[in-house]
Amino acid sequence: MHPVSLRQVGKTYRLGSVDVPALSDITLDIHQGAFTVLAGPSGSGKTTLLNLIGCIDTPDRGEITVAGQQVQSMPDDALSDFRARHIGFIFQNFNLIPVLSARENVEYPLVLAGVAAAERRRRVDALMDAVGLSDRQHNLPAQLSGGQRQRVAIARALATAPRLVLADEPTANLDSHTGAAIIALMRRLQREEDVSFVLSSHDPQVHAEADDIIFIRDGRITGIEAGRDTAGGRI
Amino acid sequence: MNTVSLALRNLLRNRRRSLTTLLAMVVGLVAILLFGGYRSNIIYGTQTGFVQQTGHLQIQRRGYFLDGGDNPTAYGIADYPRMLARIRQDPALAPMLVIATPTLQLGGIAGNFAAGVSRSVMATGLIPEDRNRMMQWNDLGVVSYARPLPLAGAAEDTVVVGTGVARKLQLCALLDAADCPPVAARSTPDGAALPDDIAALSSLEKAGPAPAAGHPIEMLAATARGAPNVASLNVIQASNMGIKALDDVYMAMHLAQAQRLIFGAGTPQVTAILVQLKHTAQIPAAREELGRLLAGHFPDADLEILDFDTLNPIYRQTNEFMDSMFGFIALLIGVIVLFTIGNTMSTAVVERTTEIGTLRAMGLRRAGIRRLFVCEALLLGLAGSALGVLGALLIAYAINHSGWSWTPPGYAYAYLILVRVGEDLPLLVGSVAGMLAVTLLSAWWPARRAARLVIVDALRHA
């Protein structure tokens, strides 16, 4: 079963009196356990597609199935609960909660998902260790570097062991060296956790790591490179 | 990590803004509590004064309160000893009762014929021991200005008058020198205008037994049959009654003396039976029981029961005036606090828009966002309330020990300025509850706006 399936999905934004089509007739399957990259120029619709897959935006047309459930007509509270259980997010600007320590940021999705304290502790310990921040876990985000913040964000996205992690330009605010390290970390954890990653990026380093690349232009899929032979290979 | 913990950290994130908001709440609550405490002191003080003077309830002949003030003989209660006995023995009333005592109100002319002066007075015939016991009522714990009447144990011809009456009657020995200007500075003596028959009556009285030591005066009143009657009295004290209008006409005398003056050798009567209860809140129950008792044992007496609120309209007017002032001030402060907190929370929502989008994306429901902001406001409200109450208690303590005083309009002497904050639990609870309600109300709209943000728009917010 595909973790994400889209069928003839369309989305149009209205700017003043003008309708601006953001996505048109998107039909797509994301493969289980794949590191999938949405590639395309700015304004091509990558972020809109990512938002629809992440259930934080709704399509005007078509059907979206995530983790086996049709999500386009779910009520808001049900969608919130669904996101808490099944989807992790990594943002370009890290979007950590500034008043929570690194550890608490990772723990917060587990609190939302209603996980017991002991299990939360075990899971957070493991993730902080996995992203190499055990020694900085009590630091506030403001006390961490950009790369460290994004590592916390990755750990947070994986906290609830979701079926799907979405990352919007995760390396855009990092230097190339740090960006490469973040990509390697995401790739490693994606394989270890057997989770599907969908990233929007035009960073060649990210493209180089992708199992599948979906090319988008003007809101339409213009090509798909599936089953690419990367260094790690597809599980 | 829960909503409260997160809310607290968010408040500490921008300490200066939180502190400014807190300060506005504290100042607002302190102002409300201090004015409320001042209002309580006035209302409770006024209530205590009236209950000490008139009791909680009075049994009168129907119509006396409205029409009979100047005609006690037409509205007399002759069977009052039996009524008093019934009231005191009633098993339902007894636990509530402090005292039940008779009184006779009469009007007349008091004259110091030796000085050639006279003036109209409103006299109260009373049982001094009972009245002194009534004066001790202080269920509300206010500073009481009541002093016992020196009539208790004194001869039946002794009276106490207001300082205004004493001044008019030239009883200067009972007054401070400043209160009794020399006769030369005054107008023509009133005594010259006294009718011959009254002067004759006076001379007859003077021919009787020698009066007790004091300041002799004569009191002229109309008897039950309309004839003039004169009693020789001895003023043993001039009391400042507080309110000048009362001070200028007040006279207290023994009930038996007042009854002899009005009813002569006939059946003595009274104009009211005063009933003082342990607590003001017992009025409805006591009134109901009294009504049942009177209807059962004195069905033909045509009586009515009036409470002190009805007997003293100025008490109700004072209450209404103070309530309207308090309400207006509380409303003003409430609006200021409402907008201050609302502004703080709205700014927080704008500043944290991206964070709200992130929390929503991670799975926090709209209600969770709403709860977070309301919780922040509630924490501010609780802290503001605690500090406000503390501040008000400290300032109230300072005021109550400062010795500041003022003379209210129409009053004859100054009253201490006191504020009852700690002693007025309803005021404390009501003000804090009001402050918390305003806090929640002011946070509700920004919290609702935060909860309704579109996630993708919030995440795009710079």
Side-chain angles (χ1 to χ4, degrees):
Chain A
M1 185 179 67
H2 298 295
V4 179
S5 293
L6 290 87
R7 295 289 175 269
Q8 295 175 318
V9 169
K11 178 75 180 175
T12 301
Y13 290 114
R14 191 166 183 82
L15 296 176
S17 57
V18 182
D19 286 339
V20 181
L23 290 175
S24 302
D25 200 23
I26 300 287
T27 294
L28 174 68
D29 290 321
I30 302 293
H31 295 109
Q32 171 60 34
F35 198 79
T36 304
V37 175
L38 306 178
S42 294
S44 59
K46 301 190 300 291
T47 300
T48 302
L49 182 55
L50 213 55
N51 289 342
L52 292 176
I53 293 171
C55 306
I56 57 175
D57 202 357
T58 50
D60 298 328
R61 298 170 298 282
E63 292 177 359
I64 302 175
T65 306
V66 180
Q69 288 193 51
Q70 286 211 352
V71 295
Q72 72 275 359
S73 55
M74 267 191 192
D76 193 79
D77 281 351
L79 266 183
S80 296
D81 297 345
F82 183 82
R83 287 194 300 270
R85 283 197 308 275
H86 297 296
I87 304 172
F89 288 91
I90 300 168
F91 300 97
Q92 178 179 340
N93 292 319
F94 326 126
N95 290 20
L96 299 179
I97 307 301
V99 294
L100 301 181
S101 68
R103 184 184 177 84
E104 289 168 332
N105 264 286
V106 177
E107 188 183 4
Y108 194 72
L110 296 166
V111 174
L112 287 180
V115 176
E119 172 61 15
R120 289 206 306 263
R121 211 161 27 245
R122 189 196 63 73
R123 180 73 180 152
V124 175
D125 282 343
L127 283 166
M128 294 309 290
D129 193 41
V131 299
L133 283 174
S134 294
D135 58 333
R136 312 298 299 269
Q137 60 181 317
H138 298 299
N139 286 26
L140 291 172
Q143 298 165 323
L144 299 173
S145 68
Q148 287 170 329
R149 289 184 209 181
Q150 198 59 303
R151 280 196 272 164
V152 174
I154 292 166
R156 180 179 69 179
L158 291 167
T160 56
R163 298 282 307 278
L164 180 68
V165 171
L166 306 175
D168 188 12
E169 303 281 3
T171 58
N173 279 358
L174 301 172
D175 61 69
S176 60
H177 179 71
T178 309
I182 289 296
I183 295 162
L185 176 66
M186 284 195 290
R187 192 64 164 126
R188 175 168 66 81
L189 290 174
Q190 177 260 320
R191 286 180 174 136
E192 285 175 9
E193 302 268 337
D194 189 23
V195 59
S196 304
F197 263 61
V198 180
L199 303 87
S200 76
S201 178
H202 40 236
D203 182 350
Q205 293 182 104
V206 176
H207 293 190
E209 278 294 327
D211 294 320
D212 301 335
I213 300 180
I214 298 162
F215 295 97
I216 304 175
R217 181 177 285 274
D218 297 332
R220 292 178 183 278
I221 294 174
T222 55
I224 297 177
E225 276 184 32
R228 296 171 74 245
D229 186 17
T230 59
R234 177 104 71 81
I235 296 172
Chain B
M1 181 199 342
N2 51 30
T3 303
V4 176
S5 158
L6 193 55
L8 185 62
R9 293 189 201 192
N10 281 325
L11 287 177
L12 295 175
R13 185 196 293 193
N14 197 328
R15 288 169 200 229
R16 184 175 297 177
R17 188 193 301 145
S18 297
L19 203 63
T20 307
T21 310
L22 202 62
L23 201 62
M25 298 173 71
V26 169
V27 170
L29 188 60
V30 165
I32 288 174
L33 284 173
L34 287 181
F35 184 73
Y38 181 63
R39 159 184 160 269
S40 295
N41 189 61
I42 287 179
I43 290 174
Y44 290 167
T46 312
Q47 184 187 131
T48 300
F50 284 131
V51 169
Q52 287 173 343
Q53 292 291 336
T54 65
H56 284 101
L57 295 167
Q58 284 194 16
I59 301 165
Q60 297 179 352
R61 286 282 300 279
R62 193 174 304 283
Y64 172 70
F65 176 65
L66 289 178
D67 303 320
D70 56 349
N71 189 9
T73 56
Y75 294 91
I77 304 170
D79 205 10
Y80 73 93
R82 208 160 62 85
M83 260 177 224
L84 280 167
R86 286 279 180 194
I87 291 168
R88 288 166 184 155
Q89 290 163 7
D90 187 276
L93 279 174
M96 296 188 268
L97 201 63
V98 173
I99 198 164
T101 183
T103 188
L104 173 63
Q105 297 283 343
L106 63 144
I109 298 172
N112 181 356
F113 297 121
V117 290
S118 68
R119 79 151 298 130
S120 299
V121 293
M122 288 301 296
T124 303
L126 46 81
I127 298 174
E129 291 77 9
D130 287 358
R131 192 54 70 98
N132 284 345
R133 194 165 163 209
M134 284 180 71
M135 297 284 195
Q136 291 170 15
W137 189 90
N138 196 0
D139 190 39
L140 303 170
V142 301
V143 173
S144 174
Y145 293 85
R147 298 288 173 267
L149 283 170
L151 297 179
E156 277 196 356
D157 66 345
T158 52
V159 296
V160 170
V161 296
T163 51
V165 174
R167 186 166 48 245
K168 184 72 177 174
L169 296 182
Q170 280 294 295
L171 303 173
C172 294
L174 296 168
L175 299 168
D176 293 336
D179 288 337
C180 207
V183 177
R186 300 169 67 86
S187 58
T188 309
D190 304 332
L194 282 176
D196 293 342
D197 52 349
I198 295 172
L201 277 168
S202 172
S203 62
L204 281 175
E205 283 284 338
K206 281 180 179 171
H215 302 270
I217 62 167
E218 288 74 33
M219 170 80 171
L220 167 68
T223 65
R225 295 184 177 183
N229 194 7
V230 172
S232 287
L233 305 171
N234 276 291
V235 181
I236 57 172
Q237 189 180 71
S239 293
N240 191 331
M241 302 309 294
I243 301 169
K244 188 173 185 307
L246 177 62
D247 200 47
D248 286 348
V249 296
Y250 177 78
M251 176 185 283
M253 61 172 63
H254 290 268
L255 177 64
Q257 175 70 67
Q259 287 174 325
R260 267 200 306 278
L261 194 56
I262 299 297
F263 301 104
T267 307
Q269 299 182 27
V270 296
T271 49
I273 292 174
L274 278 56
V275 176
Q276 194 181 61
L277 305 169
K278 287 176 180 161
H279 311 293
T280 302
Q282 292 170 326
I283 286 178
R287 185 179 205 151
E288 192 180 335
E289 183 58 24
L290 268 177
R292 198 163 29 242
L293 185 147
L294 295 175
H297 297 282
F298 308 93
D300 303 324
D302 193 23
L303 302 168
E304 63 181 339
I305 303 164
L306 303 171
D307 59 22
F308 78 96
D309 194 30
T310 307
L311 291 163
N312 304 286
I314 195 171
Y315 173 71
R316 185 180 297 169
Q317 290 159 354
T318 305
N319 265 1
E320 288 171 357
F321 174 68
M322 296 307 292
D323 282 349
S324 66
M325 291 269 287
F326 179 75
F328 182 67
I329 289 172
L331 183 70
L332 277 182
I333 291 171
V335 168
I336 292 168
V337 171
L338 186 94
F339 280 101
T340 305
I341 300 172
N343 182 53
T344 298
M345 300 313 294
S346 293
T347 308
V349 169
V350 172
E351 283 179 357
R352 285 156 53 193
T353 298
T354 308
E355 191 180 315
I356 293 164
T358 306
L359 290 170
R360 292 278 290 123
M362 286 197 296
L364 185 61
R365 290 181 175 194
R366 281 185 171 149
I369 297 288
R370 209 161 37 231
R371 199 160 41 238
L372 180 62
F373 281 94
V374 168
C375 189
E376 286 177 28
L378 194 61
L379 285 176
L380 268 179
L382 287 170
S385 298
L387 292 174
V389 168
L390 187 67
L393 287 172
L394 289 173
I395 296 172
Y397 180 85
I399 292 172
N400 292 343
H401 289 79
S402 67
W404 291 344
S405 63
W406 81 299
T407 306
Y411 278 64
Y413 54 76
Y415 282 75
L416 282 174
I417 294 177
L418 299 171
V419 284
R420 293 167 60 100
V421 177
E423 300 88 340
D424 195 337
L425 197 60
L427 171 70
L428 273 176
V429 173
S431 300
V432 169
M435 181 60 74
L436 292 178
V438 167
T439 305
L440 291 179
L441 188 69
S442 58
W444 178 253
W445 184 252
R448 182 174 178 272
R449 197 154 48 81
R452 291 166 71 92
L453 283 173
V454 176
I455 300 174
V456 291
D457 291 344
L459 287 171
R460 268 201 294 265
H461 190 265

